[in-house]
Amino acid sequence: MPTRVLTPYVGSDGVQKLKVIDGTSPEQPPRGLVPPVLSGSVHVVRSLAQLRSKDKDIEKYIFLQQLKDADHNAFYHICLNNMSEITPLIYTPTVGDACVNYSHIYRRPEGIFVSYSDKGKIGSILRSWPLRDEARISVVTDGSRILGLGDLGVNGMPISIGKLSLYVAGAGIRPRSTVPICLDLGTNTQRYLDDPLYLGSRMRRVGDAEMREFMEEFMYEMHKTFPKLLVQFEDFSTDHAFEYLDTFRNRYPVFNDDIQGTGAVVLSGFINAARIASAAANKPLTDHRILFLGAGSAGTGVASQLMSFFTLNGLSAQEARERIWLVDSQGLIFDARGKLAEHKKFFSRKDYTGPAMTDLVEIIKYVKPTTIMGLSTISGAFTEEVCRTMAAMNERPIIFPLSNPVRLSECIFSDAVEWTDGRVVFASGSPFPEYQYKGKTHYPGQGNNMYVFPGIGLGSILSRASSVTDKMIETASLALADSLTSEERSLELVYPRIERIRDISAQIALKVIRMAQREGVDRSVALRDKSDADILEFTKKSMWTPQL
Ligand SMILES: NC(=O)C1=CN([C@@H]2O[C@H](COP(=O)(O)OP(=O)(O)OC[C@H]3O[C@@H](n4cnc5c(N)ncnc54)[C@H](OP(=O)(O)O)[C@@H]3O)[C@@H](O)[C@H]2O)C=CC1
Ligand SMILES: CC(=O)C(=O)O
Ligand SMILES: [Mg+2]
């Protein structure tokens, strides 16, 4: 069975060394270095039992990271066969705790740290990555806004690792093709600066001008070192998220998961939710009115993507924009309020000129939304009064508390069901269990970008896309919305079951490849003449599968 063993050998210099034999090595460890009876399929059962014997999720996280390191075939086999149990442990919510505590639970290096002091020689840092030719996808964070947890500095590394594990599990990207990166540009979080165990440079974050120069060099060297690499920007604070997406999207294959991935996944869930709500109210789809609590990279990214829901249903761009309202920490966003950050201007209301409106219930009574979306990081912001007000106005209120991790969710599923008397159409950023109410099982959706980025990545890699266009993101979203089975629709799910992620990723990848071709950004000429069926088959065959 593939297991990871350190075995001694004598090098050409005559010196005895140790080499690693793992699942990717054709060699078998010498007899005696592994137990006499160790079958892969039994070891998976053993590993799962060891995992389940642990009480705390953070211990399960540590166990799984060590299993991945020791035997990635067993790790991914367990992931793929137990997606709804394992995803919350390697991703949100547990990855949030892993990040917060990373400097304390750290075991061994995984990924690349690039520090501000490496400026001028970033290329040499990147070239030390041992699997340069195989690199295809990198998740890059600067740790400045990890989930809704704020500035975690280099403690953000587990988010890059976690997202890449989902690329492998969800879309069959080869483990050796993934490159987790955390940029070490300082932290403004005092408790980390004071923590003797903190793993990053002990300095406050560098200024915007310094960071800009650093990012120019970093992206140039990334492209030079890993010419076939797709870069996913992750959890940069909002101002930098927009800036670096705009700066690099036409120069390198890159996308921002929080702006574009989240936009795609929420559009998809909203399409399915709107169908349910509109049918119940017997009203046209174009009647929806969407209120966002939170106007950061995620809130405005989702709002922009939701414009296509209305334009695809026949409204003009202007009419689509008028269906959307944003609320930030100062309340409703409207022109007469005064100076606004650049990313908030597009959705700022021109039709409201009254006094500042800060109370969410008051804003809901004014806007009369069919849908509220939370991307605010404010735990419990969708109070009982908020949900009851939504339920009084709508036969099937759509309530999506999308902030991560679970403890920052704007409301919990069971409350939303109770407060709307079972009528809510619900999706949250982190998972909630299903809930029994008045004799019926209610199912929460998980509106998390994990449903789309694996397929977007796979499609971009296979088509060798030179850039990731807005249309590629939109088509990924529509493919996800269409992927529900009739059984899933009959249960009023708004997202497919996560257990089908590989199938869904293949469907998304097919659409992304086709759109890359239509947009003229594909470089894989061989795929151009193939039928959809052939591309789908090719996509599935390209997926790496764990071997036991
Ligand atoms: N489900 C998913 O797939 C995803 C979820 N997210 C989640 O979205 C959340 C936000 O991320 P991001 O946009 O990058 O973060 P930001 O910090 O940039 O945005 C937070 C927004 O919420 C607003 N806000 C803060 N406090 C309040 C308040 N009391 N009342 C109203 N609004 C408030 C902020 O206002 P102001 O602008 O005035 O500061 C800001 O507009 C995070 O929890 C993240 O985990 C992100 C990506 C994907
Ligand atoms: C899911 C995700 O990307 C976030 O919460 O930032
Ligand atoms: Mg994110």
Side-chain angles (χ1 to χ4, degrees), residues 91-92 145-148 163 234-235 257-258 262 402 404 448-449:
Y91 186 51
T92 181
R145 190 288 277 148
I146 296 295
L147 305 174
K163 295 259 176 187
E234 189 67 47
D235 290 2
D257 185 39
D258 300 292
T262 315
L402 296 165
N404 293 316
N448 191 296
N449 45 37

Side-chain angles (χ1 to χ4, degrees), residues 68 83 111 164 303 354 360 488 494 506:
K68 183 167 75 162
M83 278 305 277
L164 286 165
L360 187 54
E488 288 165 345
V494 294

Side-chain angles (χ1 to χ4, degrees), residues 285-286 307-320 323:
L285 288 169
T286 46
M307 295 259 302
S308 30
F309 171 81
F310 296 106
T311 53
L312 290 168
N313 280 299
L315 295 193
S316 68
Q318 175 62 21
E319 288 166 331
R323 296 290 190 279

